[in-house]
Amino acid sequence: LSADLAPTKRCALAILEMCFNAKDWSLLMEHVVLLSKRRAQLKQVVASMVQKVMNEYLQKTPNLETKIKLIECLNGVAAGKIFVEMERARLTLQLARIHEEQGKIKEAGEVLQEVAVETFGAMAKTEKIAFILEQVRLALDRQDYVRAQILSRKVSHR
């Protein structure tokens, strides 16, 4: 299965599906990491795993703690991989919103600050601007006016 995309993808997604059906969230996270770190793993397989977990399983987590762990696991898998940069940005935004709902505005700002979305080529301009504006809003909520001003300059006015 090393260089064969379709069967490798089917196999990886089937493994994740079995973990999800068993409602074993720690096993699901473990297999996402394990399958993504497999030697010579195809980029498309990693991307499809991250997308499937993000789009189908994330909303069905039993509690907030599990959801946060799953988001952090997916962020860890997506870190440094250009082919899943948009998914990582969206996951980071979800994590920041969760922290903000819990009243942890400082943590939300720090989490969101980690992602330099202005460098993402695949992301739509409107989504980039919305992300940067969210970073600015959280910087202002934390009363970090210097950072808010720096971030606001990243949005071109044309």
Side-chain angles (χ1 to χ4, degrees):
L1 292 177
S2 64
D4 203 355
L5 176 63
T8 306
K9 188 175 173 181
R10 257 194 320 267
C11 187
L13 294 179
I15 291 169
L16 297 182
E17 185 77 31
M18 284 187 248
C19 294
F20 173 72
N21 289 338
K23 300 292 182 207
D24 192 342
W25 296 99
S26 61
L27 189 66
L28 176 72
M29 290 179 245
E30 185 180 317
H31 276 84
V32 167
V33 172
L34 186 76
L35 290 167
S36 69
K37 291 192 179 204
R38 202 187 111 219
R39 190 174 77 80
Q41 184 63 280
L42 298 169
K43 294 176 182 179
Q44 296 93 330
V45 174
V46 175
S48 63
M49 285 190 316
V50 169
Q51 289 166 356
K52 179 155 182 115
V53 173
M54 184 178 149
N55 297 330
E56 294 179 28
Y57 304 155
L58 193 61
Q59 303 307 319
K60 297 174 183 171
T61 51
N63 54 40
L64 192 61
E65 182 184 335
T66 306
K67 187 174 189 172
I68 290 171
K69 284 182 183 175
L70 189 56
I71 290 173
E72 289 172 347
C73 172
L74 290 173
N75 267 340
V77 167
K81 294 181 176 75
I82 294 173
F83 53 93
V84 285
E85 64 186 5
M86 283 183 24
E87 287 81 0
R88 182 167 184 259
R90 290 177 184 143
L91 287 166
T92 304
L93 188 61
Q94 280 185 2
L95 187 60
R97 287 190 176 136
I98 290 170
H99 284 315
E100 189 179 11
E101 287 170 6
Q102 293 177 334
K104 301 175 185 174
I105 293 177
K106 185 178 180 195
E107 281 183 36
E110 289 172 358
V111 165
L112 211 56
Q113 187 179 315
E114 291 174 7
V115 180
V117 48
E118 61 275 2
T119 63
F120 293 179
M123 191 177 270
K125 197 172 234 180
T126 53
E127 193 174 359
K128 282 184 194 178
I129 292 170
F131 197 93
I132 293 170
L133 289 175
E134 186 70 17
Q135 288 177 322
V136 170
R137 186 185 65 76
L138 282 172
L140 290 172
D141 285 351
R142 292 183 306 167
Q143 297 169 353
D144 190 353
Y145 301 112
V146 175
R147 185 164 315 281
Q149 189 174 17
I150 292 168
L151 288 167
S152 70
R153 289 185 186 141
K154 292 180 180 180
V155 179
S156 63
H157 297 282
R158 31 182 183 132

